[in-house]
Amino acid sequence: MPPPDSHKQLKPEQVTVLKQWIEAGAPSGGHWSFQPIAAPDVPTSTWGYNPIDAFIFQQLQSAGLQPNEEAQRERLLRRVTLALTGLPPTLEELDAFLSDDSPDAYEKVVDRLLMSQHFGELHGVAMDGRRSVRRHERLSCRRTSRHVAVARLGDRSLQPQHALQ
């Protein structure tokens, strides 16, 4: 209830609703946070890899949509690396992922990225100016390393001048 000094009053419609609720026995069922958790029935689906995918597929079907085909491995790696670190994958990371044929290759990449020093930097709020400068220096250094790697592949025009020193 609002404090008395707020001078707020219920509208007549609201009073009527409350009276009807009380006359019906004032069923409340208790606060939602005290209710036991019950797992929902998972819809049957031939698409996806886990129960969440079955719910997504059900919603897509009800909207008259079909899911896209699975993305190529290179694109999956790029998406997850950019999402978790804010940086594209290195050539070494790409080669390692493409050569890993194990069924849990993607999970291993996610675990590695979550343990990376770069994880969360993209989403973090700079506490002070120095932290922002250090992050910029690390990103610049990594980009420079990428340019050097590209230059070693044969195109020297892509190599930045400061990386030659």
Side-chain angles (χ1 to χ4, degrees):
M1 286 287 151
D5 58 347
S6 71
H7 304 292
K8 292 186 177 182
Q9 298 291 323
L10 291 176
K11 297 177 184 171
E13 309 87 54
Q14 294 171 320
V15 172
T16 305
V17 168
L18 283 173
K19 285 181 180 179
Q20 290 172 347
W21 177 66
I22 292 170
E23 289 171 2
S28 66
H31 193 269
W32 65 267
S33 66
F34 298 118
Q35 302 302 315
I37 298 173
D41 295 330
V42 178
T44 57
S45 172
T46 57
W47 178 81
Y49 297 101
N50 59 51
I52 294 173
D53 292 337
F55 288 102
I56 293 171
F57 186 66
Q58 183 181 41
Q59 288 296 315
L60 287 173
Q61 283 184 323
S62 67
L65 301 171
Q66 290 295 318
N68 290 335
E69 293 181 17
E70 187 172 328
Q72 296 173 340
R73 289 176 57 103
E74 296 89 347
R75 187 166 291 203
L76 286 174
L77 179 66
R78 183 170 175 81
R79 286 177 184 170
V80 72
T81 306
L82 284 170
L84 295 179
T85 66
L87 299 167
T90 64
L91 295 174
E92 294 82 19
E93 292 168 341
L94 180 61
D95 290 339
F97 180 62
L98 293 177
S99 64
D100 187 354
D101 293 329
S102 64
D104 63 340
Y106 185 78
E107 286 80 6
K108 287 192 273 188
V109 166
V110 171
D111 289 341
R112 179 184 55 77
L113 292 171
L114 290 174
M115 297 302 293
S116 166
Q117 67 180 7
H118 301 291
F119 170 65
E121 287 182 350
L122 174 69
H123 308 291
V125 177
M127 300 300 279
D128 60 17
R130 274 186 270 146
R131 183 171 169 194
S132 296
V133 170
R134 286 195 306 267
R135 180 177 185 273
H136 175 71
E137 289 171 352
R138 282 195 304 269
L139 293 176
S140 296
C141 179
R142 186 155 179 198
R143 288 186 188 114
T144 301
S145 300
R146 180 175 295 279
H147 288 302
V148 171
V150 170
R152 288 185 189 142
L153 294 175
D155 188 358
R156 297 260 178 224
S157 65
L158 293 176
Q159 187 172 5
Q161 294 301 317
H162 64 276
L164 293 173
Q165 300 169 352

